[in-house]
C-alpha cells in the first residue's frame, strides 16, 4: 500500500514539474520542446535538455527543476520496488 502511494505521488509530482516547469522553461528560453513517441520519452528528453541548459548557462532554477524531476522519477522506481516486495 505504501509503495502504491509513493509511486502515484511521485508520478504526479514528476508530471507537474515536467508540464509546469521544464516545458515552460524550455519554451521561454529558446529550447526545443521535444515530442517523443509517448509522454515518458518526451519528459526525459525535455529533462535532459533542461539539465544541459542549466549547466551551460549556470541557471539555478533550471538545475532545481531538473533535480526535482529526477527525484520524482527515483520515487516512482522506489514505489515500484516496494510494490513488488509487497509493502
Amino acid at each position: 500500500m505504501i509503495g502504491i502511494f509513493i509511486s502515484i505521488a511521485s508520478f504526479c509530482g514528476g508530471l507537474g514539474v515536467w508540464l509546469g516547469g521544464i516545458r515552460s522553461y524550455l519554451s521561454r528560453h529558446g529550447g526545443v520542446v521535444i515530442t517523443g513517441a509517448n509522454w515518458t520519452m518526451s519528459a526525459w528528453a525535455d529533462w535532459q535538455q533542461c539539465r544541459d541548459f542549466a549547466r551551460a548557462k549556470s541557471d539555478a532554477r533550471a538545475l532545481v527543476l531538473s533535480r526535482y524531476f529526477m527525484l520524482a522519477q527515483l520515487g516512482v522506481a522506489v514505489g515500484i520496488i516496494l510494490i513488488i516486495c509487497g509493502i
Side-chain angles (χ1 to χ4, degrees), residues 56-72:
K57 296 181 180 181
S58 298
D59 189 351
R61 182 174 185 268
L63 203 61
V64 168
L65 285 172
S66 65
R67 286 181 182 159
Y68 281 159
F69 182 78
M70 180 52 66
L71 287 174

Side-chain angles (χ1 to χ4, degrees), residues 4-62:
I4 293 171
F5 175 73
I6 290 173
S7 186
I8 291 173
S10 296
F11 174 77
C12 291
L15 186 65
V17 169
W18 173 54
L19 289 175
I22 292 175
R23 279 185 87 85
S24 62
Y25 174 83
L26 290 176
S27 295
R28 280 181 285 169
H29 290 89
V32 177
V33 178
I34 300 168
T35 303
N38 56 35
W39 283 19
T40 305
M41 291 177 66
S42 294
W44 275 79
D46 288 345
W47 163 76
Q48 186 176 21
Q49 188 175 16
C50 180
R51 188 186 63 183
D52 292 342
F53 275 3
R55 289 180 179 168
K57 296 181 180 181
S58 298
D59 189 351
R61 182 174 185 268

